[in-house]
Amino acid sequence: MYNCRRSWSKLLQTYSLDGSIRFIIPVADGEPNQATPLQGFSMSLCYNSHLIRAAAFLPSSIYDLTPEGIRTFAARRVCGVDPINWLPMSPRAIRAVPLPAFLPFNVLLLGDTHAAADYRNWARSCEIAPLIVAGKNGDIAIAELTLEALQAYCLQVCNLLPPSIDAEHARDAREAIEAWPRPQLRSLGYSVRGHATVVPNLMVLSAFGFADMVQGRFDNIGNGVDPYVEQVAATTQSIFAERQRTDAGGASDAYPRFPDLNLFAPAMFSYVATMKPPNDIVGKEKHRFLTVRNSLVRQTGYSYTAKTPHQIEALFGATPEDLKAGRAIPSPHHLSRLRQVELSLATEATGAFAASDLSATIRLPHAINTTSGAVRQFATHYRSDENRSRKRVRAFKEIQASISSAFPAAYLPFVRTSRDGVRIIADAHLEWLDVDGLPLCMRKNVSRIPVTPGNLLIDQLAPLPLIRLTPESFRRILVISALRRDDPIRPMFELAFEIFGKHWQETLQVDFVEVSNADELVAAFNAFDGPLVIFDGHGSHPKDGVGVLHLKDEAFDVWQLRERVSEPPPIVILSACDTHAADRNHATVANGFLALGCRSVLSSVFPLEARAAASFAARLVFRISDFIPAAVNAFDRALTWTEIVSGMLRMQLLTDFLRLLEREKVINEETYFEVHKRGNIAINGASSRPFEDVLELLEKKGSEPRALKTYLDTAIANSSALAYLNVGRPETILLDTSERLARDDDEDQPV
């Protein structure tokens, strides 16, 4: 039925069988200027976004539906070890390499823009051909891709496994697939109306085993955001309840739990606000184009608002009277249609992403993106030469008020009760959301996935293998210095590393490499095989331009490194200004490193003060050498890189706060060291409210509570901790000890 081809290996060596079921989705090759103009997605993937959902509703492994697989399914997902294997790949990349026999379970999902005939020769070259799902001339059509059809294909694959596959593994695979039961479906106890805002949560609840959750299309339009928020909040609460029932012991205790909450706010390129229509669009059509563009940009809720007859006609292609009387069928403007397919893709990809680790997704209204104006004002103040702490406090409070007004209050309880951390899937600066007196990035473990450009978003949302590191992995750390010898800030890094170096000189080595041009930068990356690179230099991001690193006298666009760096390090620390600038466009240095293949990039939203940045980088290296082994042993589990960075940022704020109190003679040096030690213990001991612990201790020592809160607000607005963003997928980098890894290998824990 499926035209699988047998190709017997002559090798005597046998291989383990990978039980993953991989869903490969072709994404048309193309230059960046061929991506969608509003957010930068592949047009091909936009029109085939429904294929992502098809993959999300099927098993990601042949063992998922075995009794043991069912028992541990939720735990494995929550710990990130069993993601949905949907793989967006270019046709060229797909056809470049035949699939090996030890990766035998593959489904090629083709939409209307791809022909099955274009992949037949490649399929025949594979040791075991994939199942081709296509509307025409495929092995089966997309509507026929049921659990039963997938089971039949996987069983046929088992018949074709060559002798090179370990016989015991092949036998276990067949027994597992034959035992697939029909899933037992559950009732949610309430129903929702179908709308994109709840699609990611419904995909997660479906993975938990719930069915028949949607009752008709959402039709409560025109009553503000509350009806949408109610559905999102209800489904988020259901996911939180299911996660709390999940026993993480069902997976290896080496794996920490992935974040339980995603704050998702689709966005568009910043230039869309001033985007002009093509030259051949004139007159009334030009006016319509501009009206629709403005409607997209100024949207504040979950749907477009058309108040005037002209806006209605521009958006829907007919007058209100003709639409109401049935004399015309709505014909949305092509910009509206384009934005709709972009949002569909972003929603489906986010849903599959959330279902991969069973996290809740709060879809935020578009008003959160309109806070960019307040961000620009704060950034301008931050960059000014006049650095007065009180003015900065007022400016920061204003931006927090702007973010809070756009963030529905009904969502705050979920942020407060998040146990496993928050991922921001947005361009808006939600890290600064006020959560009970602290910015979100200080209250919770936080990372960010940028949503522009769209193709980079897809790269980040697609499944990524876990990277497991030990303290021994960091025996060598590379510092790339790009400062001129006469630069006054040049000695600061070396001095900071010399001071802190005595703490790690027995466990790791920091290599300083000087670069002055792009070729030397590439050579430094390619010669280093460690997991962590720190860049020490200058950065800038001109308005409407591309963010650059300054290699002495040469300004360099990091996006040009693609295809030149063979194996980029998983972790990059950018000790340079404006590497993910708060008031600039999407073409940031940090995004460039993500596009290069780096897993986590610690970047800056503002200019960094050189001395503070050098001290921060050195303290972070000290944290790697000293904290990781102690914390892993204390918690008896691995840590994520998100936890390492988030803890370091809290410690930086604690230092800045206590130094301020010392300068203002609120505390003396003895109290500084005592409280600092207790505060660090609270932060590193996973206290849920470490700053409250510090404030209570200071109050017991005689400090006035209201004055302490004022000083803390001042420290927050002026702390360098506020300038850092943890961008990418740092939760997929696990820090463990070699002893625990060896123990897990001996116990043959599931991965």
Side-chain angles (χ1 to χ4, degrees):
M1 175 180 177
Y2 300 114
N3 195 28
C4 295
R5 189 180 70 88
R6 187 188 303 265
S7 176
W8 299 106
S9 171
K10 301 297 183 182
L11 299 176
L12 295 177
Q13 182 180 3
T14 61
Y15 297 90
S16 299
L17 182 145
D18 189 319
S20 300
I21 301 174
R22 309 191 317 153
F23 299 89
I24 304 170
I25 303 176
V27 181
D29 294 309
E31 297 300 322
N33 60 5
Q34 294 178 306
T36 57
L38 302 180
Q39 194 173 343
F41 288 110
S42 159
M43 203 68 223
S44 163
L45 194 54
C46 280
Y47 285 125
N48 295 315
S49 62
H50 63 285
L51 300 177
I52 301 174
R53 188 183 298 203
F57 282 92
L58 292 167
S60 55
S61 164
I62 61 172
Y63 303 108
D64 280 354
L65 297 178
T66 63
E68 178 68 8
I70 293 172
R71 186 183 71 81
T72 64
F73 171 77
R76 286 182 286 113
R77 282 276 173 99
V78 164
C79 294
V81 299
D82 189 22
I84 297 165
N85 297 307
W86 70 280
L87 306 175
M89 300 174 64
S90 73
R92 186 183 311 161
I94 293 172
R95 294 189 291 250
V97 180
L99 296 170
F102 61 81
L103 284 174
F105 305 105
N106 297 281
V107 180
L108 181 66
L109 297 173
L110 301 180
D112 294 338
T113 56
H114 297 275
D118 294 337
Y119 296 89
R120 283 298 180 191
N121 288 338
W122 164 75
R124 295 187 189 100
S125 71
C126 299
E127 290 194 74
I128 297 176
L131 174 67
I132 298 180
V133 181
K136 293 182 180 179
N137 303 318
D139 299 323
I140 61 173
I142 186 68
E144 299 170 321
L145 184 57
T146 62
L147 180 62
E148 292 76 15
L150 182 63
Q151 182 183 33
Y153 163 72
C154 291
L155 286 173
Q156 186 137 351
V157 166
C158 290
N159 293 335
L160 304 175
L161 292 173
S164 59
I165 300 300
D166 182 273
E168 183 177 354
H169 286 196
R171 183 174 61 254
D172 290 345
R174 172 177 289 282
E175 291 176 356
I177 298 165
E178 288 177 339
W180 284 7
R182 179 171 291 277
Q184 294 182 349
L185 302 179
R186 295 190 285 163
S187 172
L188 195 57
Y190 63 90
S191 61
V192 300
R193 295 284 184 172
H195 192 270
T197 51
V198 290
V199 162
N201 281 352
L202 294 180
M203 292 171 74
V204 174
L205 290 169
S206 176
F208 272 120
F210 293 98
D212 299 325
M213 295 174 283
V214 177
Q215 186 178 39
R217 297 184 62 180
F218 185 86
D219 55 5
N220 195 357
I221 299 171
N223 293 314
V225 302
D226 289 349
Y228 302 89
V229 169
E230 182 180 350
Q231 294 200 142
V232 173
T235 51
T236 297
Q237 181 58 50
S238 295
I239 293 171
F240 271 30
E242 289 299 312
R243 280 182 68 108
Q244 288 174 4
R245 296 189 188 102
T246 299
D247 175 16
S252 169
D253 60 6
Y255 300 101
R257 294 163 70 98
F258 270 31
D260 53 9
L261 185 62
N262 307 306
L263 300 180
F264 175 39
M268 295 179 289
F269 291 128
S270 58
Y271 64 70
V272 172
T274 57
M275 185 172 65
K276 296 180 179 180
N279 293 331
D280 57 346
I281 295 180
V282 296
K284 184 178 180 180
E285 281 304 307
K286 179 178 180 180
H287 194 195
R288 186 186 180 195
F289 179 99
L290 296 175
T291 299
V292 174
R293 180 203 69 185
N294 292 339
S295 295
L296 295 176
V297 172
R298 296 170 185 169
Q299 176 189 353
T300 58
Y302 290 106
S303 60
Y304 305 132
T305 301
K307 297 180 179 180
T308 68
H310 170 70
Q311 290 174 336
I312 294 173
E313 185 173 2
L315 282 167
F316 302 108
T319 65
E321 294 79 10
D322 287 344
L323 290 171
K324 188 174 182 179
R327 293 190 296 267
I329 299 174
S331 177
H333 189 269
H334 74 274
L335 279 182
S336 299
R337 292 196 299 269
L338 179 61
R339 187 58 184 151
Q340 189 57 50
V341 297
E342 285 185 330
L343 290 173
S344 294
L345 172 57
T347 298
E348 299 289 356
T350 301
F353 175 73
S356 288
D357 57 22
L358 303 180
S359 53
T361 299
I362 288 178
R363 169 74 175 272
L364 295 170
H366 188 71
I368 205 71
N369 293 315
T370 66
T371 62
S372 58
V375 171
R376 282 193 295 272
Q377 291 178 3
F378 181 62
T380 300
H381 177 85
Y382 201 101
R383 298 175 196 282
S384 68
D385 294 332
E386 184 183 7
N387 181 8
R388 296 182 181 176
S389 62
R390 291 184 179 178
K391 286 188 176 181
R392 187 172 289 178
V393 171
R394 287 197 298 270
F396 187 61
K397 286 295 182 183
E398 289 173 2
I399 192 172
Q400 285 193 303
S402 176
I403 294 171
S404 293
S405 66
F407 193 94
Y411 293 152
L412 271 175
F414 300 111
V415 176
R416 291 191 183 101
T417 57
S418 166
R419 298 192 311 173
D420 303 319
V422 177
R423 272 180 308 225
I424 295 170
I425 309 175
D427 288 344
H429 281 267
L430 293 162
E431 290 89 350
W432 301 337
L433 174 69
D434 187 338
V435 182
D436 300 329
L438 284 177
L440 173 60
C441 58
M442 294 296 137
R443 182 64 72 186
K444 301 291 181 179
N445 294 333
V446 174
S447 62
R448 173 200 285 232
I449 299 175
V451 294
T452 56
N455 284 339
L456 180 62
L457 170 65
I458 295 300
D459 287 344
Q460 297 300 302
L461 295 180
L464 296 173
L466 297 178
I467 297 174
R468 302 188 70 180
L469 303 173
T470 67
E472 291 79 14
S473 305
F474 295 91
R475 287 194 186 279
R476 290 183 59 228
I477 291 174
L478 175 64
V479 175
I480 296 178
S481 177
L483 298 168
R484 296 196 310 268
R485 293 187 180 276
D486 60 349
D487 194 312
I489 72 171
R490 180 185 173 93
M492 294 182 184
F493 235 73
E494 294 179 359
L495 179 61
F497 275 66
E498 180 181 344
I499 293 172
F500 281 92
K502 60 187 177 183
H503 298 293
W504 65 62
Q505 60 185 357
E506 299 296 328
T507 56
L508 59 84
Q509 173 183 335
V510 178
D511 297 328
F512 282 80
V513 174
E514 187 173 336
V515 302
S516 56
N517 55 55
D519 290 339
E520 292 176 357
L521 180 66
V522 170
F525 273 113
N526 287 336
F528 181 67
D529 61 358
L532 173 61
V533 172
I534 303 173
F535 178 86
D536 174 30
H538 293 294
S540 64
H541 194 148
K543 288 186 177 180
D544 302 321
V546 177
V548 295
L549 295 177
H550 294 268
L551 311 178
K552 295 189 176 177
D553 295 321
E554 176 184 324
F556 181 68
D557 174 9
V558 173
W559 294 76
Q560 297 179 19
L561 288 177
R562 298 186 74 171
E563 313 298 335
R564 298 188 64 187
V565 175
S566 54
E567 289 190 29
I571 305 169
V572 172
I573 309 297
L574 296 173
S575 189
C577 299
D578 290 325
T579 51
H580 199 76
D583 55 342
R584 297 295 189 262
N585 60 30
H586 64 281
T588 68
V589 172
N591 279 351
F593 276 107
L594 291 181
L596 190 65
C598 299
R599 192 66 64 88
S600 176
V601 182
L602 189 61
S603 56
S604 57
V605 296
F606 297 127
L608 297 175
E609 197 277 319
R611 185 176 290 103
S615 175
F616 180 88
R619 289 179 69 187
L620 184 56
V621 172
F622 177 37
R623 184 169 175 79
I624 291 170
S625 68
D626 186 70
F627 172 70
I628 291 175
V632 168
N633 289 328
F635 298 143
D636 196 25
R637 66 165 176 83
L639 305 176
T640 68
W641 184 248
T642 306
E643 294 176 278
I644 300 300
V645 172
S646 294
M648 185 70 244
L649 292 174
R650 292 189 191 99
M651 291 171 65
Q652 181 65 49
L653 174 59
L654 176 63
T655 298
D656 294 338
F657 173 47
L658 296 180
R659 287 295 184 197
L660 174 62
L661 294 180
E662 187 181 29
R663 287 196 305 271
E664 297 292 330
K665 303 191 184 312
V666 177
I667 60 175
N668 58 27
E669 185 179 37
E670 180 182 355
T671 301
Y672 170 88
F673 284 110
E674 178 188 350
V675 176
H676 204 301
K677 180 178 179 180
R678 296 277 293 275
N680 282 347
I681 291 173
I683 290 170
N684 294 324
S687 168
S688 61
R689 297 171 66 83
F691 285 94
E692 283 76 7
D693 296 344
V694 168
L695 292 174
E696 288 176 7
L697 179 58
L698 289 168
E699 288 174 26
K700 289 179 181 178
K701 291 184 172 294
S703 296
E704 200 275 320
R706 292 179 63 182
L708 286 175
K709 183 63 171 65
T710 300
Y711 283 123
L712 180 58
D713 289 342
T714 302
I716 290 170
N718 291 275
S719 174
S720 60
L722 201 67
Y724 287 102
L725 286 187
N726 199 6
V727 179
R729 296 288 308 280
E731 78 278 8
T732 64
I733 302 173
L734 306 189
L735 293 306
D736 214 331
T737 62
S738 54
E739 294 80 10
R740 283 175 47 80
L741 288 177
R743 186 187 74 190
D744 288 340
D745 290 340
D746 290 342
E747 294 175 357
D748 194 25
Q749 293 285 354
V751 177

